[in-house]
Amino acid sequence: MSENKLSTNEQAQTADAPVKASYTEYKVIPSQGYCMIVKCRKGDQTVVLKTLKEEYRERVLLRNALKREFKQCQRLNHSGIVRYQGLVEVDGYGLCIEEEYVEGRTLQAYLKENHTDDEKVGIVNQIADALRYAHQQGITHRNIKPSNVLITKQGDYVKLIDFSVLSPEDVKPTADTTRFMAPELKDQTMAADGTADIYSLGTIMKVMGLTLAYSEVIKRCCAFKRSDRYNNIDELFGDLNHEGSSFSMPKIGKGTVVLGLIIAVIVGVGALLYNYGGALVDQVGKIDVSSVFKSDAETAPEDTMRVNVAGQADSLSTEAEAPATGKLAFMNKMKPALYKDLDDIFEKNSTDRARLTKAIKTYYRGLIHANDTLDNEQRAEVDRVFGDYVKQKKAALN
């Protein structure tokens, strides 16, 4: 990592009056939007220049945006935020912000490397810590998304980049940006504050596949009304690290049941068919969900259950399986919680088959709704494990 070589006085001057500068070994890094990113050399130091693409360089609004971004961020001094080192004029590139160079990759690339949930939560904590510092300085990022989170190659440390100072009215945001943008930023109904960044961080947690253990945290982060979100990062930290200490499936309360039924009936079928098409229908068909909810009298496989003195099924212990890897690694944590929840459902409803069937269906709908980011392969594995265990439990009751 490079260090900020500019003194406080130099920064104060360049914030309003950029200085002429020259570099060597220019290399343009592909980027979206109106900005161009250029990697280059400043003596023996590698730095990055953030400038406007050629077709935008004469737009006063965008030139002023670069100046405001530098003026706002030059005083930030946190290990999780890229260092803003100077505002310069460079021949061939015009007005530029000189930034610290980070040897790393974006969060998008990081997520393709099949990291564990614990490692992902560590990244979330780092992002949150950097945001907490920025908020303490009175600065809201306003543009948190995977492409604006860099992860270093050495040590997997977070570096936030591209603080936004423009509104959607100034420059039309891309679909990638609006996906992570808080509602009040999209429609400009109120000025952005720290809760807008919290909303974006919750959306990032969804993309990271953390909906299983952190569904309640994500739900609160992504509340439509900002008064329903965490008030600040410290509140988020409290729930994030408390829930992360032990995995548990989302609790299905009365309100959630009603909401889940409405969503499942009105929206769920259409959305699932639209997103997954024939592949999903084929996978759901394979587990024969309808047969799971019937009072069939299948025989449970040997050595899969324990029976208490009264002859009732006490709990099922699945046959030893090799730990799942890759995209299915999340099942290593999900299975124990899923089995425990189903054990509780059977224990509470075993004497009333109609009520048991209803409880299983409700839990299944809530489970799928809470994990809407799973791809076809992951969803099929959840269905298989869920269906096999329910069949074994029902067989043990006969």
Side-chain angles (χ1 to χ4, degrees):
M1 306 289 173
S2 61
E3 295 294 333
N4 189 342
K5 302 298 183 181
L6 297 178
S7 69
T8 302
N9 289 336
E10 288 174 323
Q11 288 180 338
Q13 293 171 358
T14 58
D16 296 316
V19 299
K20 289 287 291 183
S22 61
Y23 304 83
T24 59
E25 301 180 27
Y26 296 96
K27 179 181 179 181
V28 176
I29 300 174
S31 60
Q32 296 182 339
Y34 59 89
C35 281
M36 173 187 291
I37 306 300
V38 183
K39 177 183 175 183
C40 56
R41 298 285 293 177
K42 181 183 181 181
D44 61 355
Q45 180 186 32
T46 300
V47 297
V48 165
L49 299 179
K50 178 179 179 179
T51 185
L52 300 174
K53 292 179 179 177
E54 188 171 3
E55 62 268 33
Y56 298 112
R57 286 178 191 161
E58 299 307 315
R59 291 188 58 180
V60 175
L61 172 70
L62 299 182
R63 284 178 59 86
N64 288 339
L66 278 183
K67 293 179 181 179
R68 289 204 311 274
E69 182 181 350
F70 175 73
K71 190 171 184 178
Q72 169 182 272
C73 299
Q74 63 171 326
R75 56 192 170 90
L76 296 179
N77 184 17
H78 187 277
S79 61
I81 299 175
V82 72
R83 192 69 62 85
Y84 284 68
Q85 300 181 163
L87 189 67
V88 297
E89 285 280 354
V90 181
D91 289 341
Y93 294 99
L95 183 68
C96 305
I97 297 175
E98 181 190 300
E99 298 179 358
E100 166 191 13
Y101 171 69
V102 178
E103 185 70 35
R105 68 282 202 207
T106 65
L107 180 59
Q108 291 169 314
Y110 173 87
L111 294 179
K112 295 177 181 179
E113 299 169 359
N114 295 321
H115 291 274
T116 67
D117 283 354
D118 287 343
E119 290 170 334
K120 293 176 185 176
V121 172
I123 295 297
V124 172
N125 271 285
Q126 289 189 61
I127 297 173
D129 187 63
L131 289 175
R132 175 171 60 181
Y133 169 80
H135 295 172
Q136 289 171 344
Q137 308 306 309
I139 297 174
T140 303
H141 190 288
R142 293 165 47 99
N143 198 21
I144 293 294
K145 56 184 180 179
S147 59
N148 285 342
V149 179
L150 299 184
I151 312 294
T152 65
K153 288 185 177 179
Q154 295 295 324
D156 286 344
Y157 296 114
V158 161
K159 289 282 187 178
L160 301 186
I161 62 173
D162 282 353
F163 285 69
S164 176
V165 296
L166 292 174
S167 71
E169 290 182 350
D170 297 324
V171 177
K172 184 177 180 181
T174 64
D176 175 58
T177 298
T178 56
R179 178 183 181 186
F180 298 91
M181 187 181 291
E184 64 270 19
L185 290 184
K186 294 177 185 178
D187 56 26
Q188 294 292 292
T189 54
M190 56 185 72
D193 62 11
T195 62
D197 289 341
I198 290 174
Y199 180 97
S200 300
L201 184 55
T203 309
I204 280 181
M205 291 178 68
K206 281 187 179 182
V207 172
M208 295 177 82
L210 296 173
T211 54
L212 295 173
Y214 298 92
S215 60
E216 291 304 314
V217 171
I218 293 172
K219 179 180 177 181
R220 187 170 174 187
C221 284
C222 297
F224 182 84
K225 294 174 59 179
R226 65 183 187 182
S227 59
D228 292 336
R229 300 173 203 154
Y230 292 102
N231 291 322
N232 52 58
I233 296 293
D234 285 326
E235 281 191 8
L236 170 60
F237 267 135
D239 282 355
L240 179 67
N241 295 305
H242 172 72
E243 287 201 22
S245 62
S246 60
F247 181 86
S248 61
M249 291 299 296
K251 301 300 181 184
I252 309 297
K254 183 177 179 180
T256 305
V257 170
V258 174
L259 179 61
L261 288 173
I262 294 174
I263 293 175
V265 173
I266 298 178
V267 180
V269 173
L272 290 173
L273 288 176
Y274 178 81
N275 288 311
Y276 299 104
L280 177 58
V281 173
D282 180 60
Q283 294 295 348
V284 175
K286 287 180 181 179
I287 71 163
D288 191 11
V289 174
S290 62
S291 68
V292 168
F293 301 131
K294 293 178 182 178
S295 298
D296 51 2
E298 295 185 28
T299 302
E302 294 182 4
D303 300 326
T304 59
M305 65 177 177
R306 298 193 306 271
V307 179
N308 61 21
V309 176
Q312 297 295 321
D314 182 26
S315 176
L316 296 184
S317 57
T318 58
E319 296 178 358
E321 295 182 6
T325 58
K327 294 168 60 176
L328 302 182
F330 73 95
M331 292 299 297
N332 297 326
K333 287 188 175 181
M334 182 178 181
K335 282 182 183 179
L338 176 61
Y339 295 154
K340 182 179 183 299
D341 286 347
L342 287 173
D343 286 344
D344 291 342
I345 290 173
F346 273 81
E347 181 179 353
K348 294 176 182 178
N349 303 283
S350 60
T351 59
D352 187 330
R353 289 302 180 91
R355 190 173 64 183
L356 173 62
T357 297
K358 182 178 180 181
I360 295 173
K361 286 182 177 180
T362 298
Y363 179 76
Y364 177 79
R365 292 188 185 108
L367 174 67
I368 297 306
H369 177 64
N371 298 290
D372 58 358
T373 60
L374 299 180
D375 63 22
N376 290 357
E377 182 182 354
Q378 292 170 321
R379 169 66 188 275
E381 181 65 7
V382 171
D383 286 346
R384 182 190 69 79
V385 171
F386 182 93
D388 288 349
Y389 198 70
V390 170
K391 286 180 180 179
Q392 293 176 23
K393 294 289 292 187
K394 290 180 71 70
L397 290 177
N398 296 315

